[in-house]
């Protein structure tokens, strides 16, 4: 990590960080500003007046929580095995797993649609949960393995000398030390699952299974295209993600940096 005690260097680094963040902050400012265009707060009132809005938030919440649970469990177990266990040909399996990062979501729509229809999962939340989790796992395993590589092997060797099993080492050593990277996995997975648009659009047809990312359909049609209400809906949809980041910010930042420093 970069560390400096010079006041001038601190100001220079602060200036650089500010300049870097402006391009990412500008779209958010435009989104919030645009959401007040026309009717002002009336745009938010129109979004909140959408019938069954609470059901859409509930569906998105169920999808997000299910994806987070699946990704969290699979990622920690897989990363622990790839990093600390003696598994034959584990590097080969690791690189085969990383091949999942090369597959864009749109390419998998046809086989996923056929699979969902054949298994009876079409128009159910599971048709979104399972593919979303599967597409997220390769990336999360990559960053969590780097974090686990930074845990001293001497801890596990000492645990083996004391007679601890693999399960006990995972439970007593890995999990307590994984809070920073766990928060990172939770936030990254929440962003992906909460903002999922293509999979819900294709696989969720009934009104009872719609998610919040599909709210734009209420303001876009053949004779209407109310962008101000769409922006207001985007601001409302983003609030849970912002809240989650604020609550887990300390652990999230540690998780992103810990794996890069040995």
């Amino acid at each position: 990590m970069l560390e400096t005690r010079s006041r001038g260097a601190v100001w220079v680094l602060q200036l650089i960080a500010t300049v870097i963040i402006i391009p990412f902050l500008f779209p958010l400012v435009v989104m919030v500003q645009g959401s007040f265009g026309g009717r002002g707060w009336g745009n938010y009132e129109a979004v909140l007046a959408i019938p069954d809005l609470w059901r859409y938030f509930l569906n998105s919440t169920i999808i997000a929580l299910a994806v987070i649970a699946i990704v969290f469990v699979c990622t920690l177990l897989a990363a622990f095995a790839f990093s600390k266990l003696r598994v034959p040909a584990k590097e080969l399996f690791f690189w085969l797993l990383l091949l999942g990062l090369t597959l864009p979501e749109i390419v998998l729509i046809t086989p996923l649609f056929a699979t969902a229809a054949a298994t009876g999962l079409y128009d159910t939340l599971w048709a979104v949960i399972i593919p979303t989790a599967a597409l997220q796992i390769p990336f999360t395993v990559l960053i969590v393995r780097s974090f686990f590589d930074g845990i001293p092997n001497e801890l596990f060797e000492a645990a083996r000398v004391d007679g601890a099993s693999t399960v006990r080492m995972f439970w007593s050593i890995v999990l307590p030390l994984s809070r920073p990277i766990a928060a990172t996995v939770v936030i990254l997975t929440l962003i992906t699952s909460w903002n999922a648009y293509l999979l819900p659009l294709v696989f969720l047809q009934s009104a009872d299974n719609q998610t919040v990312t599909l709210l734009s359909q209420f303001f876009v049609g053949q004779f209407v295209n109310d962008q101000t209400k769409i922006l207001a809906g985007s601001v409302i949809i983003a609030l849970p993600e912002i809240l989650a980041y604020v609550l887990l910010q300390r652990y999230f930042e540690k998780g992103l940096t810990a794996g890069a420093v040995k």
Side-chain angles (χ1 to χ4, degrees):
M1 297 178 61
L2 292 175
E3 186 173 338
T4 180
R5 298 185 181 184
S6 170
R7 183 181 295 273
V10 170
W11 280 103
V12 171
L13 290 176
Q14 184 66 48
L15 178 62
I16 294 174
T18 303
V19 172
I20 292 175
I21 201 176
I22 287 177
F24 300 94
L25 188 62
F26 181 73
L28 298 178
V29 174
V30 172
M31 180 179 71
V32 175
Q33 183 179 9
S35 68
F36 288 99
R39 296 176 55 191
W41 286 104
N43 296 326
Y44 289 89
E45 294 175 357
V47 174
L48 296 176
I50 293 177
D52 293 332
L53 178 64
W54 65 271
R55 184 182 295 276
Y56 304 147
F57 269 93
L58 177 61
N59 291 336
S60 291
T61 301
I62 293 173
I63 291 175
L65 292 178
V67 172
I68 289 173
I70 295 172
V71 170
F72 184 84
V73 173
C74 293
T75 295
L76 262 63
L77 292 175
F80 174 60
F82 284 129
S83 177
K84 299 302 180 183
L85 299 185
R86 298 181 180 92
V87 180
K90 69 177 182 179
E91 292 300 325
L92 173 62
F93 291 118
F94 179 70
W95 286 104
L96 288 176
L97 177 66
L98 293 187
L99 287 178
L101 294 174
T102 66
L103 298 175
E105 195 176 68
I106 187 64
V107 174
L108 301 174
I109 286 297
T110 299
L112 287 175
F113 185 89
T115 303
T119 57
L121 295 178
Y122 183 74
D123 200 22
T124 67
L125 298 184
W126 286 108
V128 176
I129 292 171
I130 296 176
T132 303
L135 291 171
Q136 187 72 5
I137 286 174
F139 176 69
T140 55
V141 169
L142 176 63
I143 62 174
V144 174
R145 183 190 181 181
S146 298
F147 180 87
F148 285 172
D149 287 341
I151 300 178
N153 292 326
E154 289 77 10
L155 291 176
F156 299 95
E157 294 172 0
R160 289 191 183 97
V161 171
D162 292 337
S165 64
T166 301
V167 175
R168 182 60 183 273
M169 287 189 293
F170 178 80
W171 185 264
S172 300
I173 298 177
V174 174
L175 287 183
L177 296 176
S178 301
R179 290 183 180 178
I181 200 63
T184 303
V185 170
V186 168
I187 292 178
L188 293 178
T189 306
L190 172 64
I191 292 174
T192 301
S193 56
W194 188 265
N195 292 331
Y197 179 79
L198 181 59
L199 293 180
L201 180 65
V202 174
F203 295 120
L204 303 179
Q205 295 299 313
S206 62
D208 291 340
N209 290 329
Q210 299 295 304
T211 62
V212 291
T213 53
L214 302 179
L215 291 181
S216 59
Q217 64 185 338
F218 290 94
F219 307 110
V220 176
Q222 185 177 1
F223 302 106
V224 62
N225 186 2
D226 196 335
Q227 292 297 319
T228 57
K229 293 183 177 61
I230 293 176
L231 292 175
S234 300
V235 173
I236 295 175
I237 293 171
L239 292 179
E241 299 170 282
I242 297 174
L243 178 61
Y245 176 77
V246 171
L247 294 177
L248 300 175
Q249 178 182 6
R250 180 179 60 178
Y251 297 112
F252 178 74
E253 294 173 351
K254 288 182 180 179
L256 286 179
T257 58
V261 182
K262 297 291 182 66

